């Protein structure tokens, strides 16, 4: 396993830093259902960390625990070394965590640009008064934020649909717009909930490219949930495997691939 | 021709023209590019500063006089500047097609022995890196967009900004050297080298001198009355001679502004935003735009549709005459004005053509309906005929003498003659210097007196002096019975149907003509949607019985039209197949400028051609395809061979 506390350099020359987020013995229950059972793992700065598992394994619940949306009954989440108290979503966003959703959650009637601009909300300081005046500070602020939004639009190559209402876009592009909105917040930790679900091969290749580029260019730490094993194995530095709410594997893609429990969970085992 | 008549004194090189513009039009916009959602612009004096900085940086890097500097990327001001910077260093810019695969690039880069490459982005850098082992002369690469390149080995890589920065830092020390090099440039020094697309064999490097570029730019700018305040949109490949003349030659001569789109996908939006006054597009672009307009009108409300149909009919009737300044009745004029208010104006605005004063199309024949559509809207769309070896211009249509079936009268300074086999020859100040490292081809193409063979067969209309092109001279053949075979003539007629994207006609040395046909996916899929016809792939749609029947009706209509021309009535298409894949440059079936490569197609699909002549009803075939990233795959298909009705040609037979 990788145990260098201060980080290490990957084979392709990316720098992986120390642990930024740590899950310690997390247990999450919904009434009598135990969605997550005593799971511990960590996320290092600058890495692409995948959470995989069959349907109903508890992956999305885990992501919601990371994002602070669910508060686990047992265990503790440490973010940047501090135990994290229960928080409101905007507080999470201010901590530098952004996410995308499995079922796209964009403002359908708004243009791509407006949607991306909503991602800048946490970076806007001026109050209602100045914003409605639309002069001075508010105007400057909007210009500065628009610049960031435009850089991201350029980065994700969605210039051609900048002024198109989201509702008119095909699914694959909507996913990309959602990623753009999350990136607009300039997060230090980016959570992607099944970024490639429902895509064709070409769209998957594009999205994989963008995820790698984001990690590479902005140094963003990425935690993602994904079904497509091939994609996960190619993209991620380390993988957590879940099954029935339990962690059954954790390590590099190669380690996970050869883990007998993981193979059993995916391929099934013979019951004598 | 004596030298004093040429150009203007002191303006005998591209850098000299740039200096003039930077003084004379210092604060006028020279370049615009949409970046990060905003049109960034540079005035002529700013452009000169940027270009000089890069040129000084290049000298610092070691670019010597006579070196070749390849420029690869989509149209961006900084890449145009790179070409001019190279000229300032006394080097020769060589723009290459940015969509060419690495192996194709290996040939051109190797052929000219380019020491330096200016690449637009990571994609181009990757391609050059991939082939650099085959390029012993290659020394350094300058890249523009740093995205994704941070971790690359920078031993042979420099960023554009870095080179400019170095240039600015050493301005004092290197300026004298640069000035000296610029001073050495005259009318005979090489301005640029452009590779022809290579319909046959390897691409040839066409060397164009400052005289070629500047004289052609001067006469053509005067011919069309181009102004300093004009705007163009630069979106066609930089490696193409037309783009070099429009975006560099004429832009520098007249001092107008070159606008670059944000990305290839946003070209249509950017076109609308810029509203160019001088516009060039190959027929394909006009076709696509018209198809899109028609598709959208089908979806429009009833009232709008009726209004569109009514006023378009009127525009077709009087629009072209109004444009040509012919007499038109008062009522018709008033109705046209109303139509302009309700339909033509808004439509032109949507298309981005509101301000177009001079529009050109060339490269292929344009369908008369398409041509008339744009002209009837009041867009001054004209045709020109040219080639790389002529620095574009051979003939062009003057205002007021525009027709869809000719390519115009000879341009100022150009002489034209037709030899006994019908091949067109020309001589002009634009005639290229030579094919680089290929004296045999140079001698084959250009004779001692400077006459150049175009390779096209055509004739000059006696009463109007307009040139008409029939076909490529080498493609014009004889059928088994000795009658004339001109495939392109028939193919063009077929391609005028919106449903047909591409057609290839066979029949040289045979007794009957047959054809391959590609459906136009945009038009046909829209038709399928409208008629509730389900299909899963291009292949399935192309093989649909109703599609085949529609194509057959087009072929038969073409046969009727071909039969009217006594000379060519033998070229009627007897049998045809609708191909299961689109002909593509990546598979070598088309050139990068999308011209059909007959030999390649004949080799590749020989089984289908055999089936067309041996009386089969269908043919099963496997075709290799190349994906954009270079991987290969195969498509299996069973194609139906359709028999088309032909018109009797008894009169001609009797005459023999």
């Amino acid at each position: 396993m990788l145990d260098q506390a201060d980080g290490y350099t990957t084979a392709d020359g990316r720098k992986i830093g120390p642990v930024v987020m740590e899950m310690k013995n997390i247990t999450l229950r919904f009434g009598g259902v135990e969605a997550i059972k005593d799971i511990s793992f960590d996320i290092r700065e600058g890495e692409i960390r995948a959470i995989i598992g069959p349907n109903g394994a508890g992956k999305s619940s885990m992501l919601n625990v990371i994002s602070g949306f669910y508060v686990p009954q047992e265990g503790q989440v440490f973010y940047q070394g501090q135990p994290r108290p229960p928080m409101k979503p905007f507080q999470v966003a201010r901590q530098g965590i952004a996410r995308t959703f499995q079922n796209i959650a964009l403002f359908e009637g708004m243009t791509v640009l407006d949607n991306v601009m909503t991602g800048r909300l946490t970076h806007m300081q001026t109050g209602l008064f100045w914003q409605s005046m639309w002069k001075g500070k508010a105007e400057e602020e909007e210009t500065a934020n628009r610049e960031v939004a435009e850089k991201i639009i350029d980065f994700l190559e969605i210039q051609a649909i900048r002024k198109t209402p989201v509702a008119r876009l095909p699914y694959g592009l909507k996913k990309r717009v959602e990623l753009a909105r999350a990136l607009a917040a300039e997060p230090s930790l980016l959570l992607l909930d099944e970024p490639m679900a429902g895509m064709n091969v070409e769209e998957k290749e594009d999205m994989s490219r963008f995820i790698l580029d984001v990690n590479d260019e902005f140094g963003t730490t990425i935690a993602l949930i994904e079904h497509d094993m091939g994609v996960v194995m190619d993209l991620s530095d380390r993988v957590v495997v879940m099954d029935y709410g339990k962690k059954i594997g954790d390590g590099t893609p190669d380690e996970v691939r050869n883990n007998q429990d993981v193979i059993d969970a995916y391929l099934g085992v013979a019951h004598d | 021709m004596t030298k004093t008549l040429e150009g203007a004194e002191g303006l005998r090189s591209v850098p000299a023209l740039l200096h003039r513009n930077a003084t004379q039009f210092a604060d006028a916009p020279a370049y615009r590019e949409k970046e990060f959602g905003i049109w960034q612009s540079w005035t002529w004096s700013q452009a000169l500063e940027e270009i000089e900085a890069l040129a000084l940086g290049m000298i610092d890097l070691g670019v010597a006089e006579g070196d070749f500097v390849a420029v690869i990327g989509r149209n961006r001001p900084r890449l145009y500047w790179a070409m001019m910077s190279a000229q300032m260093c006394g080097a020769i810019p060589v723009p290459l097609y940015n969509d060419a695969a690495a192996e194709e690039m290996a040939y051109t880069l190797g052929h000219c022995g380019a020491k330096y490459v200016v690449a637009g982005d990571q994609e181009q850098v990757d391609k050059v890196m991939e082939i650099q082992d085959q390029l012993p002369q290659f020394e350094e690469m300058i890249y523009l967009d740093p995205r994704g390149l941070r971790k690359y080995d920078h031993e042979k890589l420099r960023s554009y900004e870095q080179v400019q920065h170095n240039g600015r830092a050493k301005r004092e020390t290197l300026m004298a050297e640069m000035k000296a090099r610029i001073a050495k440039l005259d009318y005979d020094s090489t301005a640029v080298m452009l590779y022809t697309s290579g319909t046959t064999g390897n691409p040839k490097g066409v060397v164009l001198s400052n005289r070629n570029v500047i004289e052609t730019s001067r006469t053509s700018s005067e011919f069309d009355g181009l102004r300093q305040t004009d705007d163009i949109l630069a979106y066609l490949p930089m490696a193409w001679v037309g783009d070099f003349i429009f975006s560099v030659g004429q832009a520098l001569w007249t001092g107008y502004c070159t606008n670059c789109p944000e990305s290839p996908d946003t070209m249509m939006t950017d076109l609308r935003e810029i509203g160019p006054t001088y516009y060039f597009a190959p027929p394909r672009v006009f076709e696509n735009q018209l198809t899109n307009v028609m598709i959208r009108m089908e979806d429009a409300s009833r009232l709008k549709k009726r209004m569109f149909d009514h006023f378009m009919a009127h525009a077709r009737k009087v629009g072209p005459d109004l444009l040509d300044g012919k007499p038109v009745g008062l009522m018709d004029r008033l109705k046209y004005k109303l139509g302009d208010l309700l339909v033509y104006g808004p439509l032109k605005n949507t298309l981005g053509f509101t301000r177009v004063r001079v529009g050109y199309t060339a490269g292929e024949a344009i369908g008369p309906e398409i041509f008339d559509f744009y002209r009837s809207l009041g867009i001054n769309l004209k045709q020109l005929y040219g080639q790389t070896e002529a620095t574009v211009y051979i003939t062009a249509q003057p205002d007021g003498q525009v027709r869809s079936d000719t390519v115009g009268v000879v341009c100022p300074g150009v002489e034209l003659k037709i030899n006994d086999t019908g091949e067109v020859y020309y001589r002009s100040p634009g005639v290229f210097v030579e094919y680089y490292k290929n004296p045999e081809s140079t001698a084959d193409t250009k004779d001692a007196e400077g006459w150049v063979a175009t390779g096209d067969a055509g004739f000059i209309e006696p009463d109007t002096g307009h040139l008409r092109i029939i076909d490529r001279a080498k493609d014009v053949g004889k059928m088994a019975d000795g009658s004339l075979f001109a495939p392109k003539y028939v193919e063009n007629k077929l391609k005028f149907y919106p449903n047909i994207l591409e057609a290839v006609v066979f029949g040289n040395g045979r007794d009957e003509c047959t054809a391959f046909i590609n459906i136009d996916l945009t038009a046909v899929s829209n038709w399928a949607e409208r008629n509730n016809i389900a299909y899963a792939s291009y292949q399935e749609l192309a093989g649909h019985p109703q599609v085949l029947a529609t194509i057959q009706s087009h072929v038969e209509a073409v046969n009727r039209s071909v039969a009217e021309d006594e000379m060519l009535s033998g070229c009627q298409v007897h049998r045809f197949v609708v191909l299961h894949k689109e002909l593509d440059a990546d598979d070598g079936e088309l050139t990068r400028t999308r011209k059909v490569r007959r030999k390649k197609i004949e080799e590749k699909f020989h089984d289908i051609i055999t089936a067309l002549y041996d009386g089969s009803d269908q043919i099963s075939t496997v075709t290799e395809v190349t994906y954009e990233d270079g991987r290969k795959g195969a498509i299996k298909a069973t194609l139906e061979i359709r028999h088309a009705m032909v018109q009797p040609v008894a009169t001609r037979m009797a005459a023999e």
Side-chain angles (χ1 to χ4, degrees):
Chain A
M1 265 303 294
L2 309 149
D3 46 9
Q4 303 93 322
D6 299 328
Y8 59 97
T9 309
T10 58
D12 57 348
R14 290 179 310 127
K15 289 223 161 23
I16 306 292
V19 171
V20 281
M21 182 166 263
E22 195 173 9
M23 314 284 142
K24 274 204 175 138
N25 309 97
I26 304 286
T27 298
L28 180 71
R29 292 188 205 95
F30 296 107
V33 182
E34 265 197 337
I36 301 174
K37 290 169 202 154
D38 191 26
I39 288 190
S40 305
F41 69 95
D42 58 28
I43 301 172
R44 283 165 178 273
E45 194 182 322
E47 78 175 340
I48 301 181
R49 186 75 148 124
I51 305 172
I52 64 171
N55 279 334
K59 305 184 298 289
S60 287
S61 301
M62 193 68 234
L63 201 75
N64 281 322
V65 170
I66 300 175
S67 77
F69 187 69
Y70 290 156
V71 180
Q73 278 81 4
E74 285 165 35
Q76 186 62 268
V77 180
F78 293 87
Y79 183 54
Q80 290 167 338
Q82 304 292 319
R84 193 167 70 175
M87 287 189 299
K88 296 253 162 37
F90 73 89
Q91 291 170 318
V92 178
R94 278 191 192 157
Q95 282 201 334
I97 299 177
R99 68 167 296 175
T100 66
F101 298 84
Q102 187 175 351
N103 309 309
I104 300 162
L106 290 163
F107 302 102
E108 293 268 319
M110 286 170 24
T111 64
V112 168
L113 178 63
D114 287 341
N115 267 288
V116 177
M117 281 297 278
T118 59
R120 297 296 301 165
L121 219 57
T122 50
H123 296 262
M124 305 235 193
Q125 308 295 326
T126 49
L128 183 66
F129 174 75
W130 284 111
Q131 296 247 345
S132 53
M133 286 286 109
W134 185 236
K135 271 278 160 267
K137 236 166 50 170
E139 198 180 354
E140 278 167 31
E141 199 176 71
E142 172 106 1
T143 313
N145 283 309
R146 169 81 189 265
E147 262 179 49
V148 180
E150 284 291 349
K151 290 219 164 104
I152 285 158
I153 287 174
D154 183 72
F155 188 81
L156 294 179
E157 292 164 16
I158 47 176
Q159 304 99 323
I161 53 164
R162 186 186 284 124
K163 297 273 169 74
T164 314
V166 166
R168 292 224 320 249
L169 298 177
Y171 180 81
L173 274 179
K174 283 187 187 175
K175 280 270 188 192
R176 209 187 291 179
V177 174
E178 218 190 15
L179 177 62
R181 181 180 60 184
L183 282 179
E186 295 181 278
S188 47
L189 174 60
L190 178 64
L191 309 177
L192 306 174
D193 196 349
E194 303 225 6
M196 272 158 271
M199 286 188 173
N200 64 30
V201 178
E202 201 183 324
E203 288 169 332
K204 277 183 189 175
E205 280 177 359
D206 281 350
M207 186 54 101
S208 306
R209 192 69 250 158
F210 285 125
I211 291 172
L212 288 171
D213 281 353
V214 166
N215 177 259
D216 205 34
E217 285 290 312
F218 306 125
T220 313
T221 311
I222 296 172
L224 64 96
I225 292 180
E226 190 44 61
H227 252 108
D228 189 320
M229 286 295 275
V231 169
V232 169
M233 295 305 178
D234 284 350
L235 279 184
S236 34
D237 298 304
R238 287 191 300 155
V239 184
V240 177
V241 193
M242 291 176 71
D243 192 20
Y244 295 114
K246 283 181 292 198
K247 180 168 102 172
I248 57 170
D250 188 356
T252 64
D254 280 334
E255 288 167 350
V256 166
R257 198 180 279 131
N258 299 321
N259 181 325
Q260 192 54 46
D261 289 340
V262 176
I263 295 168
D264 291 348
Y266 268 88
L267 298 178
V269 290
H271 296 280
D272 306 311
Chain B
M1 210 180 296
T2 53
K3 267 211 166 166
T4 46
L5 286 174
E6 292 173 337
E9 201 49 52
L11 296 178
R12 295 227 171 118
S13 69
V14 169
L17 280 174
L18 181 65
H19 273 277
R20 180 203 61 177
N21 291 355
T23 349
Q24 210 168 324
F25 318 124
D27 296 324
Y31 293 93
R32 290 197 197 97
E33 180 184 27
K34 197 172 184 186
E35 208 179 10
F36 303 128
I38 290 169
W39 286 98
Q40 321 275 345
S41 64
W42 292 266
T43 64
W44 279 111
S45 58
Q46 285 168 331
L48 176 68
E49 197 280 328
E50 298 269 355
I51 295 166
E52 279 184 346
L54 184 70
L56 293 165
M58 280 181 173
I59 293 177
D60 186 43
L61 206 61
V63 176
E65 286 166 279
D67 282 353
F68 286 93
V69 179
V71 177
I72 320 166
R74 65 179 176 84
N75 314 65
R76 302 193 63 181
R78 286 185 177 83
L79 292 183
Y80 287 113
W81 299 347
M83 291 205 280
M84 292 181 228
S85 298
Q87 287 165 335
M88 283 186 173
C89 300
I92 297 151
V94 187
L96 298 179
Y97 284 96
N98 59 335
D99 60 350
E103 310 92 72
E104 296 172 59
M105 241 172 231
Y107 175 79
T108 43
L109 287 174
H111 180 257
C112 67
K115 282 190 186 165
Y116 302 90
V117 176
V118 182
D121 55 16
Q122 187 185 14
E123 188 188 339
Q124 310 302 341
V125 171
D126 283 347
K127 279 194 259 185
V128 179
M129 295 273 219
E130 193 186 322
I131 54 171
Q132 61 174 326
D133 294 341
Q134 308 167 39
L135 307 170
Q137 279 116 325
F138 170 73
E139 280 177 17
E140 300 246 12
M141 182 149 46
I142 300 171
Y143 62 85
L144 192 54
D145 187 352
R147 178 177 171 185
L149 291 169
R150 208 151 29 88
K151 299 210 175 83
Y152 279 49
D153 177 7
H154 271 60
E155 194 199 342
K156 289 184 169 183
L157 272 181
R158 299 280 174 278
S159 84
Y160 194 96
E161 272 177 23
Q162 186 60 43
V163 175
Q164 278 192 320
H165 178 81
N166 290 348
R168 287 194 178 103
K170 295 188 180 162
R171 192 180 168 89
E172 302 298 316
T173 43
L174 295 175
M175 198 62 183
E177 167 73 14
M178 191 179 81
K179 282 205 168 136
R181 289 194 193 182
I182 293 175
K184 273 190 238 169
L185 299 176
D186 62 15
Y187 244 25
D188 291 312
S189 37
T190 304
V192 69
M193 186 159 93
L194 301 158
Y195 278 91
T196 56
S197 49
T199 321
T200 47
N202 278 325
K204 286 180 274 196
V206 179
V207 176
L208 296 179
S209 65
N210 281 319
R211 171 182 290 109
N212 295 151
V213 172
I214 296 173
E215 279 302 301
T216 309
S217 301
R218 181 178 66 87
T219 51
S220 55
S221 299
E222 283 162 8
F223 181 78
D224 280 314
L226 300 180
R227 305 170 190 160
Q228 191 271 316
T229 48
D230 276 332
D231 271 297
I232 62 157
L233 188 74
Y235 68 100
L236 291 159
M238 285 179 69
W240 176 62
V241 65
D243 187 65
F244 187 82
I245 290 302
F246 303 140
S247 309
V248 179
Q250 294 177 338
L252 283 166
W253 179 262
T254 58
Y256 61 63
C257 181
T258 304
N259 301 280
C260 298
E262 186 169 22
S263 77
D265 306 333
T266 61
M267 191 279 205
M268 282 304 163
T269 326
D270 298 333
L271 176 69
R272 192 154 64 234
E273 287 175 1
I274 282 300
T277 54
Y278 176 36
Y279 179 70
F280 182 93
R284 184 176 298 270
V285 171
F286 288 111
E287 264 172 57
N288 283 343
Q289 277 191 321
L290 177 59
T291 311
N292 285 336
V293 167
M294 288 308 178
I295 288 170
R296 282 176 66 179
M297 281 321 297
E298 290 290 323
D299 294 334
S301 69
R302 248 224 208 116
L303 178 71
K304 281 187 188 162
K305 175 99 174 80
R306 281 187 58 180
M307 203 161 76
F308 177 79
D309 290 341
H310 179 79
F311 281 107
M312 278 319 296
H314 183 67
R316 285 209 174 84
K317 203 173 87 187
V318 302
D321 286 350
L322 278 171
L323 206 57
D324 288 344
K326 291 181 189 154
V328 174
L330 180 67
M331 280 316 284
D332 279 341
R333 272 177 195 273
L334 284 177
K335 193 174 169 191
Y336 190 86
K337 274 259 154 58
L338 183 66
D340 195 39
L341 195 70
L342 294 172
V343 178
Y344 322 140
L347 184 58
K348 278 195 283 186
N349 193 21
T350 312
L351 294 170
F353 292 156
T354 307
R355 302 204 302 151
V356 171
R357 208 179 68 247
V358 183
Y360 271 114
T361 182
E364 293 271 337
I366 186 165
E369 299 84 31
I370 300 161
F371 195 66
D372 290 343
F373 171 84
Y374 289 98
R375 291 204 44 95
S376 65
L377 289 176
I379 299 162
N380 185 19
L381 181 62
K382 311 194 284 182
Q383 296 197 74
L384 70 81
Y385 171 66
Q387 52 180 206
T388 310
E389 288 82 349
T391 328
V392 183
Y393 292 89
I394 299 173
T395 66
Q397 295 177 329
D399 290 345
Q401 296 184 34
V402 181
R403 289 160 48 193
S404 62
D405 57 350
T406 79
V407 291
V409 300
V410 284
C411 290
V414 182
E415 298 165 85
L416 208 61
K417 74 173 183 193
I418 312 244
N419 77 352
D420 4 313
T421 57
E423 190 170 350
V424 181
Y425 285 73
Y426 64 90
R427 186 160 72 172
S428 75
V431 166
F432 71 119
V433 180
E434 58 169 356
Y435 290 121
Y436 185 63
K437 287 206 278 200
N438 196 345
E440 289 149 48
S441 288
T442 310
D444 281 350
T445 315
K446 187 166 83 161
D447 70 15
E449 289 169 19
W451 288 97
V452 180
T454 58
D456 287 323
F459 61 93
I460 298 171
E461 282 188 348
D463 4 323
T464 59
H466 278 243
L467 177 69
R468 274 181 73 170
I469 298 293
I470 316 176
D471 201 341
R472 296 290 298 166
K474 66 172 171 46
D475 290 336
V476 174
K478 291 266 191 300
M479 312 261 316
D481 62 2
S483 62
L484 199 62
F485 170 70
K488 191 105 164 250
Y489 177 78
V490 184
E491 286 161 12
N492 284 336
K493 280 185 185 285
L494 283 167
K495 278 156 64 178
F496 293 154
Y497 289 93
N499 290 330
I500 298 178
L501 180 72
E502 205 63 69
V504 189
V505 172
F506 307 99
N508 198 14
R510 300 181 190 259
D511 46 8
E512 285 169 344
C513 284
T514 58
F516 285 177
I517 285 169
N518 259 174
I519 57 165
D520 186 323
L521 192 59
T522 323
V524 179
S525 68
N526 187 269
W527 165 85
E529 204 175 294
R530 213 165 287 288
N531 292 284
N532 292 325
I533 288 166
Y535 64 96
S537 64
Y538 178 88
Q539 189 180 345
E540 194 180 330
L541 186 62
H544 194 279
Q546 270 178 275
V547 172
L548 292 180
T550 313
I551 301 292
Q552 178 150 7
S553 69
H554 295 334
V555 173
E556 285 166 1
V558 166
N559 281 346
R560 278 193 291 279
S561 137
V562 170
E564 282 168 20
D565 198 323
E566 212 171 298
M567 248 166 56
L568 296 164
S569 57
C571 299
Q572 296 183 61
V573 175
H574 289 246
R575 285 171 301 281
F576 69 92
V577 290
V578 173
L579 286 185
H580 50 297
K581 74 172 278 280
E582 232 174 80
L583 297 176
D584 194 2
D586 287 337
D587 294 325
E589 295 147 351
L590 301 178
T591 64
R592 288 283 158 203
T593 47
R594 300 197 62 91
K595 286 182 188 144
V596 167
R597 290 172 120 157
R598 281 170 209 285
K599 280 244 173 60
K600 272 270 162 88
I601 294 175
E602 272 174 40
E603 281 165 29
K604 188 162 178 179
F605 298 103
H606 64 92
D607 53 337
I608 306 180
I609 298 176
T610 312
L612 277 169
Y613 284 100
D614 68 4
S616 332
D617 288 329
Q618 58 178 39
I619 165 80
S620 296
T621 185
V622 181
T623 310
E624 187 178 80
V625 291
T626 313
Y627 299 107
E628 266 182 24
D629 58 3
R631 280 182 298 170
K632 291 195 192 296
I635 306 181
K636 273 188 208 157
T638 301
L639 306 175
E640 188 185 336
I641 289 166
R642 304 280 291 205
H643 295 256
M645 210 160 58
V646 292
Q647 305 298 314
V649 286
T651 46
R652 187 179 47 82
M653 299 294 279
E656 280 191 350

